[in-house]
Amino acid sequence: MIRLDNISKHNGQRLVFIEASAALQKGEKIGLVGPNGAGKTTLFRMITGQDEPDEGQILTDRGITIGFFSQDVGEMAGRSAVAEVMEGAGAVSEVASELATLETALADPEQADQLETILERFGEVQARFEELGGYALDSKAREVLHGLGFSQEMMDGDVSRLSGGWKMRVALGRILLMRPDVMLLDEPSNHLDLESLIWLEQFLAGYDGALLMTSHDRAFMNRVINKVIEIDGGNLTSFSGDYEFYEQQRAQNEKQQQAQFERQQAALAKEISFIERFKARASHAAQVQSRVKKLEKIDRVEPPKRRQALSFEFPPPPRSGEDVVKLRGVDKSYGSRVIYHNLDLLIRRRERCCVLGVNGAGKSTLLKLVTGATQPDAGTVTLGGSVKLGYFAQHAMDLLDGSRTVFETLDDAFPLASQGSLRALAGSFGFSGDEVEKSCRVLSGGEKARLVMAMMLYDPPNFLVLDEPTNHLDIATKEMLITSLAQYEGTMLFVSHDRHFLAALSNRVLEVTPGGIHQYDGGYTEYVARTGQEAPGLHA
């Protein structure tokens, strides 16, 4: 359906693609992977015609429809979320617009002399609208929005009142309702909670067009894709299978390439040694010359590219008392909405509690109560003896000073630390070399999250409270964080919609429901096995 034929592309001085080729066929669901800045967004822009390759061509089958979801959703105002989603439904929305114009014309006395013509056209357009399923469009749009977590009130309210994250969901809903022949989805899993993510997986499983997407959620990728295209060093390499298979295959390829490289280096060393040894002897001149020519003709095997692996080791945190935090008889409401009533909860040392619950159930509120960011209306919240708290809040990244660089921010936080140790800290969180001189103002969401994490974990607390710590983080950074937190000896309370993160780190589940908090011993994997559901309110 779409073919990339020997494309090359520069961004300024940087070469993004070098004679790269790939194809997207009907029924293929492809995950586009590669390090940050490798050119994923550039590729999307070229396929949609917003950008042109410098060389080569992008061939698209005649007449196919393409729907593109990106993180840049543009302005939205003056319409309901339902109307906004219906607007993107392709041909049917254009027909709906003409139908509305004709309805207005029929009621306009000034156009009475053209009534017959208008009526005839109205009949044609109405038939076309019905044929395209136009009368079911409103209910289909609501079904999509409901799947993405919208309440009826939010669907019918002015879209301008929604936050940026909810506007993203509206933009995504528009593409899903359109059901184009080809869907291009750039990070569709960002800003989605667990329930919406699982709904989207099921939606895409039933979608029969071609899909090309990026995502930092490996569980989501594994459920949806059947092929991977990797962008690395300007090349495009295809792997059949899901993300898990791609990782294994890439590691195997690198191992084989390293072995080939080492074998060739050993053989070359022998040849060079022979040449050096006998080049001055006239009796060996012919042999030496022959070997020199042979060396010149050999295709050199390159060593595999070494990806920068992020790694961070926790200094051991100070030991806390056995009871880390105790909530007794806690009430919390927002206006007439009761979130918690008479809540009792005890979190003990070394527990890693993940908090699950549908949107608006009170997950973030629980974390705010525990950290003192919000006060209970009644009851008490008591931290235990020797508890040193670290809180990663969703708004933590907004508190960074835009005028300070990455290094200055770390230096401000730890004035007694040596330059070397702060540079090592920055490097382990992905800020190597000159990147520490970047000002916070120009950092991406993921970079800001990494910087806040680095500040929180350098002098580690013994009680970590994390609200969606994996939002904006790429797969490599998430892996580093999981590996580091798995070694962490303190206590954790966290909210995350990343199932890989939940399964790897939790040993207790707190499920927030309207009837209180249901507690499950064992981690997220045991919770799924015991309840038969991956998220509250959703059944497997």
Side-chain angles (χ1 to χ4, degrees), residues 14-63:
R14 201 167 64 86
L15 192 59
V16 185
F17 294 107
I18 317 159
E19 296 183 355
S21 297
L24 176 60
Q25 311 291 357
K26 186 171 170 58
E28 284 187 331
K29 291 174 180 165
I30 298 178
L32 187 61
V33 304
N36 278 348
K40 298 188 286 285
T41 303
T42 304
L43 191 64
F44 280 137
R45 289 178 60 82
M46 289 194 294
I47 292 173
T48 54
Q50 295 166 271
D51 216 335
E52 294 282 329
D54 299 333
E55 289 172 25
Q57 51 187 340
I58 292 175
L59 305 164
T60 305
D61 285 358
R62 189 188 298 278

Side-chain angles (χ1 to χ4, degrees), residues 114-125:
Q114 299 172 319
L115 192 61
E116 207 171 307
T117 311
I118 295 169
L119 265 171
E120 190 181 333
R121 180 63 186 152
F122 183 82
E124 290 167 5
V125 174

Side-chain angles (χ1 to χ4, degrees), residues 172-242:
L172 177 59
R174 200 188 284 165
I175 305 298
L176 300 181
L177 182 67
M178 179 184 172
R179 287 189 90 102
D181 300 315
V182 177
M183 259 192 230
L184 307 176
L185 304 180
D186 192 4
E187 292 296 344
S189 52
N190 271 6
H191 304 286
L192 293 185
D193 53 54
L194 193 46
E195 288 77 12
S196 304
L197 202 53
I198 292 164
W199 176 86
L200 180 58
E201 278 174 5
Q202 291 163 350
F203 182 96
L204 292 174
Y207 166 65
D208 56 5
L211 170 69
L212 180 66
M213 72 167 192
T214 61
S215 174
H216 290 157
D217 187 318
R218 63 186 295 153
F220 177 66
M221 289 269 261
N222 274 328
R223 300 282 182 88
V224 173
I225 65 173
N226 53 29
K227 184 176 171 182
V228 168
I229 292 179
E230 179 190 57
I231 307 180
D232 194 12
N235 297 312
L236 293 171
T237 312
S238 296
F239 299 79
S240 289
D242 62 13

Side-chain angles (χ1 to χ4, degrees), residues 212-524:
L212 180 66
M213 72 167 192
T214 61
S215 174
H216 290 157
D217 187 318
R218 63 186 295 153
F220 177 66
M221 289 269 261
N222 274 328
R223 300 282 182 88
V224 173
I225 65 173
N226 53 29
K227 184 176 171 182
V228 168
I229 292 179
E230 179 190 57
I231 307 180
D232 194 12
N235 297 312
L236 293 171
T237 312
S238 296
F239 299 79
S240 289
D242 62 13
Y243 186 82
E244 216 71 45
F245 175 78
Y246 150 74
E247 274 207 318
Q248 292 163 7
Q249 195 62 44
R250 195 189 72 202
Q252 197 178 324
N253 291 354
E254 282 181 1
K255 206 170 163 185
Q256 286 172 351
Q257 193 176 344
Q258 182 66 30
Q260 278 182 317
F261 172 72
E262 286 170 6
R263 277 199 303 273
Q264 190 181 62
Q265 288 301 302
L268 291 174
K270 273 171 88 173
E271 294 293 331
I272 291 165
S273 165
F274 180 91
I275 292 164
E276 289 299 316
R277 197 164 147 210
F278 294 112
K279 66 182 176 185
R281 296 191 193 177
S283 59
H284 286 72
Q287 281 173 284
V288 167
Q289 205 53 42
S290 145
R291 293 195 182 200
V292 168
K293 282 180 181 166
K294 186 174 148 192
L295 276 185
E296 284 169 358
K297 286 179 187 167
I298 284 175
D299 280 339
R300 300 292 168 115
V301 175
E302 293 292 321
K305 293 189 190 79
R306 289 275 171 255
R307 288 164 186 265
Q308 183 199 359
L310 300 178
S311 65
F312 173 74
E313 283 188 23
F314 271 99
R319 186 186 167 112
S320 72
E322 286 304 311
D323 291 355
V324 174
V325 65
K326 195 181 288 184
L327 286 77
R328 285 285 171 265
V330 166
D331 290 354
K332 184 66 190 176
S333 300
Y334 293 113
S336 61
R337 213 167 120 244
V338 177
I339 306 293
Y340 292 111
H341 175 61
N342 201 25
L343 171 66
D344 291 339
L345 179 67
L346 172 65
I347 295 172
R348 293 175 294 269
R349 190 174 78 85
R350 300 292 298 266
E351 284 187 330
R352 297 154 174 265
C353 304
C354 71
V355 185
L356 303 179
V358 297
N359 239 337
K363 299 187 293 290
S364 292
T365 301
L366 178 64
L367 270 51
K368 286 175 184 169
L369 286 165
V370 165
T371 56
T374 193
Q375 296 304 311
D377 302 332
T380 58
V381 178
T382 316
L383 286 182
S386 307
V387 170
K388 180 184 171 193
L389 181 82
Y391 178 34
F392 181 91
Q394 288 189 32
H395 67 274
M397 300 179 301
D398 304 334
L399 305 178
L400 293 170
D401 182 344
S403 66
R404 307 293 280 165
T405 67
V406 168
F407 188 81
E408 286 167 347
T409 303
L410 292 174
D411 198 31
D412 294 345
F414 308 109
L416 300 178
S418 69
Q419 284 227 355
S421 70
L422 290 185
R423 284 187 180 275
L425 172 69
S428 63
F429 279 84
F431 298 103
S432 52
D434 292 344
E435 289 189 323
V436 293
E437 302 307 328
K438 273 185 175 178
S439 77
C440 291
R441 189 177 292 110
V442 303
L443 297 181
S444 68
E447 288 171 325
K448 285 178 180 173
R450 294 204 309 262
L451 178 54
V452 172
M453 291 272 178
M455 288 160 69
M456 190 171 69
L457 302 179
Y458 180 63
D459 179 19
N462 52 29
F463 181 30
L464 277 179
V465 180
L466 309 171
D467 195 358
E468 295 287 6
T470 57
N471 270 5
H472 306 291
L473 296 184
D474 61 25
I475 288 176
T477 311
K478 279 186 200 176
E479 288 301 329
M480 179 273 279
L481 195 58
I482 288 170
T483 305
S484 305
L485 291 173
Q487 310 300 319
Y488 172 65
E489 293 169 11
T491 306
M492 284 170 63
L493 176 69
F494 62 96
V495 173
S496 174
H497 64 246
D498 188 295
R499 283 158 291 175
H500 182 54
F501 190 85
L502 289 169
L505 294 174
S506 59
N507 60 20
R508 187 176 173 207
V509 173
L510 306 177
E511 183 184 352
V512 182
T513 74
I517 291 183
H518 295 167
Q519 303 182 38
Y520 297 85
D521 288 329
Y524 176 73

Side-chain angles (χ1 to χ4, degrees), residues 68-141:
F68 177 39
F69 167 76
S70 76
Q71 298 293 301
D72 181 16
V73 298
E75 281 303 305
M76 285 186 192
R79 277 197 290 224
S80 68
V82 170
E84 195 69 51
V85 166
M86 284 164 64
E87 179 65 20
V92 68
S93 65
E94 291 163 28
V95 176
S97 175
E98 189 181 351
L99 202 58
T101 307
L102 290 166
E103 279 171 355
T104 308
L106 283 171
D108 183 359
E110 288 186 16
Q111 298 189 51
D113 55 333
Q114 299 172 319
L115 192 61
E116 207 171 307
T117 311
I118 295 169
L119 265 171
E120 190 181 333
R121 180 63 186 152
F122 183 82
E124 290 167 5
V125 174
Q126 193 177 38
R128 177 76 179 128
F129 187 63
E130 205 167 322
E131 185 189 321
L132 290 169
Y135 289 109
L137 201 59
D138 182 88
S139 65
K140 280 184 182 170

